[in-house]
């Protein structure tokens, strides 16, 4: 699973990083050399995936959409790690009233349906920052921070009572040194797996926001969910290419990230880790040379 997921994910990463060279046109380009693209044109040699109602090249939109998805996912996970991991570490280590307040707030946020909460934050942030990548990334950050906080906090609560932490206190290490040198490396082992699984869910949430018209607009960046929204009127008229290729891109990327997350979980989790046993070949048994004694 890990190998297949990494290969598929690498394909989208390459498309995202080299989109200006791989895409034949810009994400909002509707003409080339003074000639306007055909409206809802079928796939052809000039346009491999056809064109949509806004005269945009679908193939170029799919490739540029990989860059948008990568930017949103990386920013949202980065914000979650920077905010959620330190909060969980400090809360689990010190406890007290600070820990109780944070647990109450995070549980309250976690109790809401994640997609509904993303819609609410998208409404608020779009009015402030507009339909930009930063606004959508912050909307996703708000719904994933409680997961990072809960994982790191619960691990810290159990790890702070370990013998090596008591030994660090005995030699006079400060609380900051204990958290930085002795606890941090042990409590973040589950974060890469959680980040990968959240990345797959973030792609679906981003597509859902774009499909509802709350995400990134067509002229700001290419976004697969928004392209699916614009492809709805085409479904009843026999135009299949405007919605097929963005939908396939979403399915493939979500599947790839899910496989990476499950593969990392099996690799890093010692309770699920399976070691490949090498076959043991024994040499042929030699005939006995023992002499009989009368």
């Amino acid at each position: 699973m890990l190998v297949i997921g990494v290969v598929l994910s690498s394909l989208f990463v390459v498309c995202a990083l080299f989109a200006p060279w791989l895409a034949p046109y810009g994400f909002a380009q509707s003409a080339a050399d003074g000639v306007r693209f055909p409206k809802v044109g079928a796939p052809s040699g000039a346009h491999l995936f056809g064109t949509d109602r806004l005269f945009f090249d679908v193939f170029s939109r799919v490739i540029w959409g990989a860059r948008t998805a990568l930017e949103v996912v990386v920013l949202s996970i980065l914000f979650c790690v920077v905010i959620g991991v330190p909060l969980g570490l400090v809360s689990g280590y010190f406890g007290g009233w600070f820990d109780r307040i944070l647990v109450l707030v995070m549980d309250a946020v976690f109790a809401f349906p994640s997609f509904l909460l993303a819609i609410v934050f998208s409404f608020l942030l779009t009015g402030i920052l507009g339909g930009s990548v930063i606004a959508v990334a912050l909307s996703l950050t708000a719904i994933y921070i409680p997961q990072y906080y809960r994982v790191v906090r619960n691990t810290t609560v159990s790890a702070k009572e370990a013998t090596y932490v008591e030994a660090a206190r005995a030699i006079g290490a400060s609380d900051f040194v204990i958290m930085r040198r002795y606890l941090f490396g042990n409590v973040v082992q589950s974060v890469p797996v959680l980040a990968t699984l959240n990345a797959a869910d973030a792609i679906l949430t981003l597509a859902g926001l774009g499909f509802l018209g709350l995400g990134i607009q067509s002229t700001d960046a290419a976004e697969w969910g928004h392209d699916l929204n614009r492809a709805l009127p085409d479904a009843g008229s026999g135009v299949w290419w405007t919605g097929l290729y963005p939908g396939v891109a979403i399915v493939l990327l979500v599947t790839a990230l899910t496989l990476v997350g499950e593969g990392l979980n099996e690799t890093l989790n010692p309770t699920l880790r399976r070691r490949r046993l090498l076959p043991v070949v024994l040499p042929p048994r030699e005939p006995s040379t023992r002499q009989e004694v009368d």
Side-chain angles (χ1 to χ4, degrees):
M1 288 192 299
L2 182 60
V3 173
I4 296 175
V6 169
V7 171
L8 289 176
S9 301
S10 301
L11 176 63
F12 284 95
V13 171
V14 169
C15 291
L17 295 178
F18 301 100
W21 295 275
L22 295 178
Y25 308 104
F27 63 87
Q29 184 176 350
S30 59
D33 299 329
V35 179
R36 195 171 184 84
F37 296 154
K39 183 177 182 180
V40 198
S44 62
H47 304 281
L48 295 179
F49 292 173
T51 58
D52 58 12
R53 292 182 176 273
L54 297 180
F55 305 93
F56 296 153
D57 181 68
V58 177
F59 180 68
S60 301
R61 296 279 300 179
V62 170
I63 294 180
W64 283 99
R67 167 171 287 195
T68 303
L70 183 65
E71 289 177 350
V72 172
V73 169
V74 170
L75 286 176
S76 62
I77 292 178
L78 180 63
F79 293 154
C80 288
V81 171
V82 171
I83 299 174
V85 172
L87 283 179
L89 185 61
V90 173
S91 176
Y93 183 80
F94 290 105
W97 61 269
F98 181 72
D99 177 59
R100 291 194 294 270
I101 292 176
L102 279 181
V103 169
L104 178 63
V105 173
M106 294 299 175
D107 287 345
V109 174
F110 194 74
F112 282 93
S114 59
F115 188 65
L116 179 61
L117 196 62
I119 292 176
V120 173
F121 278 99
S122 181
F123 266 121
L124 298 176
L125 294 174
T126 301
I128 300 174
L129 302 175
S132 61
V133 172
I134 297 296
V136 178
L138 290 176
S139 302
L140 299 180
T141 301
I143 66 177
Y144 294 132
I145 282 180
Q147 299 182 26
Y148 291 83
Y149 168 81
R150 288 158 64 102
V151 169
V152 175
R153 186 254 179 194
N154 294 338
T155 309
T156 304
V157 169
S158 59
K160 71 177 182 179
E161 304 297 335
T163 306
Y164 63 90
V165 177
E166 296 294 337
R169 292 195 185 100
I171 62 176
S174 63
D175 293 332
F176 177 75
V177 172
I178 292 175
M179 288 189 292
R180 179 175 60 87
R181 297 188 58 183
Y182 299 99
L183 287 178
F184 179 78
N186 293 321
V187 302
V188 298
Q189 294 180 1
S190 300
V191 170
V193 178
L194 180 61
T196 308
L197 295 176
N198 279 345
D201 188 69
I203 296 296
L204 291 177
T205 306
L206 173 64
L209 292 176
F211 187 80
L212 295 176
L214 301 175
I216 303 170
Q217 302 302 314
S218 300
T219 55
D220 296 329
E223 200 276 307
W224 296 328
H226 186 70
D227 291 346
L228 287 177
N229 183 13
R230 290 190 292 105
L232 278 179
D234 302 332
S237 57
V239 179
W240 50 269
W241 54 87
T242 56
L244 174 64
Y245 297 110
V248 170
I250 295 173
V251 172
L252 288 179
L253 184 54
V254 171
T255 303
L257 293 175
T258 303
L259 291 177
V260 171
E262 295 294 338
L264 283 178
N265 192 27
E266 289 188 359
T267 303
L268 300 178
N269 193 339
T271 61
L272 299 176
R273 186 181 304 156
R274 293 181 297 179
R275 299 185 182 275
R276 181 176 298 176
L277 299 179
L278 298 177
V280 178
V281 180
L282 297 177
R285 186 175 181 179
E286 298 180 357
S288 177
T289 58
R290 185 179 56 183
Q291 298 178 355
E292 295 183 357
V293 179
D294 294 334

